[in-house]
Amino acid sequence: MYDVVLLTLGSERDAPGGCGSGGACCGGAAGADTAPTSQPDTDQTDTGQANSGRTDNGPTSTDQASTGQTDTEQTAAEQCATERPRVPVLACADALNARGARVETVTARSDAEIDAVLARLDGPARPDGLTWPDPDSKIRLVVATASDGQLRAVLRRLVKRYAPAPSKRPADLPGNRTLPDLPPVAVLPLDPARGDAHRDLAAQLGLPRDPAAVAAAVLDGTPRRLDLLRNDGGSVTLDGALLGAADDAGRPLHWRARVEVDDTILTDGAEPLLACAVGNAGGYATLNDVALLTAPDPADGQVEVAVAVPVVVRSAWGRKRVRLEVRRARGRAVSVLPMEGKVPYLDDGVEGELTRKRSWWVEPGAWAVWSI
């Protein structure tokens, strides 16, 4: 029988948005994550705080001011959530215990505490000295999440743990990847409402939300491998990112950026944009009833990207009107280079501001969820 760790990220502030950044989920010492070893760029950071959830109805508003924290940094003054596990966590633990599993519940309040849990998934020592996941591990991990940002925080730590430096790339690493197959995780959603109108990633993937069903997936299910987006800011994306802003009245603001997908240039930065969606899954597929992404698939090895461009056209009577043109492309990598100022964005529900070029690339099948 398996040992199962039920991991909860324990910060009040991060509960609705994203936890595990820096070193302070809840009152721990804050410390910045370094950029990914495969493409170091340590000065690119996301300057924003965790958002209360994905805003599918529009880009982030400019009145949501930055706190000056990076996406890889949290303040040490955060207020901690209760020590007591949430009801779904207890129900899942009971279901696992009833099946004979050995269960441990852990509340992590810092990256170091997340890392201590993930270390249990390490494989045997390798001759090359790399830390590698154990493909035959008898330990299974359940991540209890109040948001996609919290799930992303755990995956980011897995990437940091197992991604080798380019100079130490082993021969057994797939040619289209910079990291090995990450250990599968089970997802226990803590917010039932996120399975409906504002669907979280678990709902998009059709994963179970009932604690007993999650327990069954952990013990009886099989790993379902999914694509992971890494970026040169040192983070990862599971669902997608939405770039753009709106004023206090909800009207989209114009901004400019050069957006490239592989060899395709969606916009060269000379024309105004209303929004840009980077989609691994479908969380940002629509914006105010406008279809941005047509068929984002988190298991097809590609990222779908769309830009919304206002275009002035003349009618047959010579009257001017503005129509919204959506341009789309699919590929292995995307880059967004802001041409002026700061561009607010949401990435897996976590706010940030883009001031420099940001690149995402696909790691096909790099992570996995336990699924029936």
Side-chain angles (χ1 to χ4, degrees):
M1 186 49 66
Y2 296 101
D3 291 329
V4 181
V5 180
L6 271 164
L7 176 63
T8 303
L9 304 189
S11 167
E12 270 184 352
R13 196 194 77 174
D14 283 325
C19 184
S21 302
C25 275
C26 187
D33 258 344
T34 58
T37 54
S38 61
Q39 189 172 342
D41 193 358
T42 55
D43 60 345
Q44 296 193 352
T45 54
D46 307 336
T47 56
Q49 67 179 11
N51 185 36
S52 59
R54 176 174 297 109
T55 53
D56 293 320
N57 294 325
T60 181
S61 172
T62 54
D63 64 354
Q64 294 171 315
S66 167
T67 62
Q69 298 168 1
T70 66
D71 187 37
T72 57
E73 215 171 10
Q74 302 287 351
T75 64
E78 292 177 342
Q79 296 298 316
C80 293
T82 177
E83 294 276 350
R84 188 174 303 164
R86 298 274 290 274
V87 170
V89 176
L90 296 175
C92 187
D94 288 344
L96 291 165
N97 280 318
R99 292 282 305 276
R102 295 176 292 271
V103 182
E104 179 182 357
T105 60
V106 177
T107 299
R109 291 182 169 81
S110 69
D111 280 348
E113 292 179 350
I114 296 175
D115 293 345
V117 171
L118 302 183
R120 307 183 195 188
L121 305 174
D122 290 355
R126 290 170 54 107
D128 55 17
L130 293 175
T131 301
W132 219 246
D134 185 357
D136 300 316
S137 176
K138 298 302 180 184
I139 297 176
R140 298 201 167 174
L141 176 64
V142 180
V143 182
T145 63
S147 69
D148 290 342
Q150 290 190 336
L151 180 60
R152 180 183 78 159
V154 176
L155 265 296
R156 182 171 51 207
R157 300 310 299 176
L158 279 171
V159 169
K160 186 173 179 62
R161 184 168 194 84
Y162 295 122
S167 61
K168 296 183 178 181
R169 181 183 177 91
D172 56 342
L173 191 63
N176 61 350
R177 293 254 294 274
T178 66
L179 67 161
D181 286 352
L182 299 177
V185 300
V187 181
L188 174 62
L190 297 176
D191 184 358
R194 298 283 288 166
D196 299 323
H198 302 288
R199 302 201 310 160
D200 57 16
L201 187 60
Q204 293 181 56
L205 297 175
L207 300 178
R209 305 186 76 85
D210 177 73
V214 173
V218 171
L219 300 179
D220 304 325
T222 55
R224 176 182 171 188
R225 301 220 67 87
L226 302 165
D227 300 336
L228 181 72
L229 293 182
R230 294 189 69 184
N231 70 54
D232 57 3
S235 191
V236 300
T237 300
L238 308 180
D239 186 352
L242 178 66
L243 296 91
D247 61 19
D248 293 343
R251 295 182 294 264
L253 299 174
H254 291 181
W255 52 284
R256 288 176 170 80
R258 181 182 178 91
V259 181
E260 299 181 60
V261 183
D262 291 350
D263 296 327
T264 300
I265 300 175
L266 290 179
T267 176
D268 62 4
E271 56 196 341
L273 300 178
L274 294 183
C276 173
V278 177
N280 190 38
Y284 299 109
T286 61
L287 174 63
N288 290 339
D289 298 325
V290 175
L292 295 178
L293 307 175
T294 57
D297 183 346
D300 66 353
Q302 290 190 314
V303 57
E304 184 176 358
V305 183
V307 294
V309 184
V311 178
V312 178
V313 297
R314 290 183 179 273
S315 69
W317 303 101
R319 294 177 180 175
K320 292 183 179 180
R321 65 182 181 88
V322 178
R323 66 178 178 85
L324 193 62
E325 178 180 300
V326 179
R327 304 170 190 167
R328 304 179 181 92
R330 301 172 64 84
R332 287 291 312 279
V334 55
S335 67
V336 178
L337 173 62
M339 305 306 291
E340 53 191 10
K342 300 176 180 178
V343 179
Y345 68 86
L346 293 172
D347 190 328
D348 284 346
V350 179
E351 290 182 23
E353 287 182 336
L354 200 62
T355 59
R356 304 176 182 223
K357 183 177 180 179
R358 172 60 46 84
S359 298
W360 289 263
W361 67 91
V362 178
E363 301 279 348
W367 75 292
V369 292
W370 288 108
S371 180
I372 295 293

